[in-house]
Amino acid sequence: DGIQHALTRRTLQPLVENAIFHGIEPTGRFGTIRLYAQEKGDDLLITVEDDGQGMDQAAIQRALHSRMQHSHGSMNGIGVSNVNERLRLVYGAPYGLSIDARPGQYTRMTVRIPKEEAN
């Protein structure tokens, strides 16, 4: 469906940019970014994971709730909190973005949206 495709595209780009500019680049070394997608019940989970500098719980909360964020070097300036807010507005409270991270090891951002059948 066009709506899901457009939302997924506008969702993944800022998350991958975030992994590059806020996860990998600050370490000063090469890193790895992985994208995973899986079906879980009636939902689609898309995960962007990097092995960069990671985040603590305070940084996770700022990323999910800060309105002043923007992606460094991004053409569209969409921050992680904006991605989460947009997903929740379109799909409702059970959906959106979750972040799991460990400082100095990894950041894993997972988007949960309902599955939609292709026409």
Side-chain angles (χ1 to χ4, degrees):
D1 172 91
I3 294 172
Q4 187 168 21
H5 177 72
L7 278 171
T8 303
R9 186 171 11 113
R10 286 193 308 252
T11 298
L12 291 180
Q13 180 180 344
L15 297 185
V16 171
E17 286 178 355
N18 189 76
I20 293 167
F21 296 117
H22 300 291
I24 304 293
E25 191 175 86
T27 68
R29 57 180 169 77
F30 290 105
T32 304
I33 297 171
R34 292 182 177 89
L35 276 71
Y36 304 95
Q38 68 177 2
E39 294 180 17
K40 190 168 188 176
D42 291 332
D43 296 340
L44 175 64
L45 280 69
I46 304 169
T47 301
V48 177
E49 179 181 326
D50 70 72
D51 61 358
Q53 71 175 1
M55 303 169 77
D56 60 21
Q57 286 302 311
I60 291 171
Q61 290 306 309
R62 281 192 306 274
L64 288 173
H65 303 293
S66 172
R67 290 199 168 280
M68 297 305 292
Q69 274 194 359
H70 69 282
S71 297
H72 173 74
S74 171
M75 297 292 279
N76 59 16
I78 298 172
V80 171
S81 63
N82 293 351
V83 168
N84 187 43
E85 184 176 318
R86 186 175 59 245
L87 291 170
R88 287 178 180 260
L89 284 171
V90 171
Y91 296 115
Y95 299 103
L97 182 65
S98 62
I99 302 175
D100 177 36
R102 181 160 291 149
Q105 295 183 22
Y106 69 89
T107 299
R108 187 178 302 129
M109 297 189 179
T110 301
V111 172
R112 177 182 294 266
I113 57 176
K115 286 191 298 189
E116 295 179 6
E117 297 298 322
N119 293 334

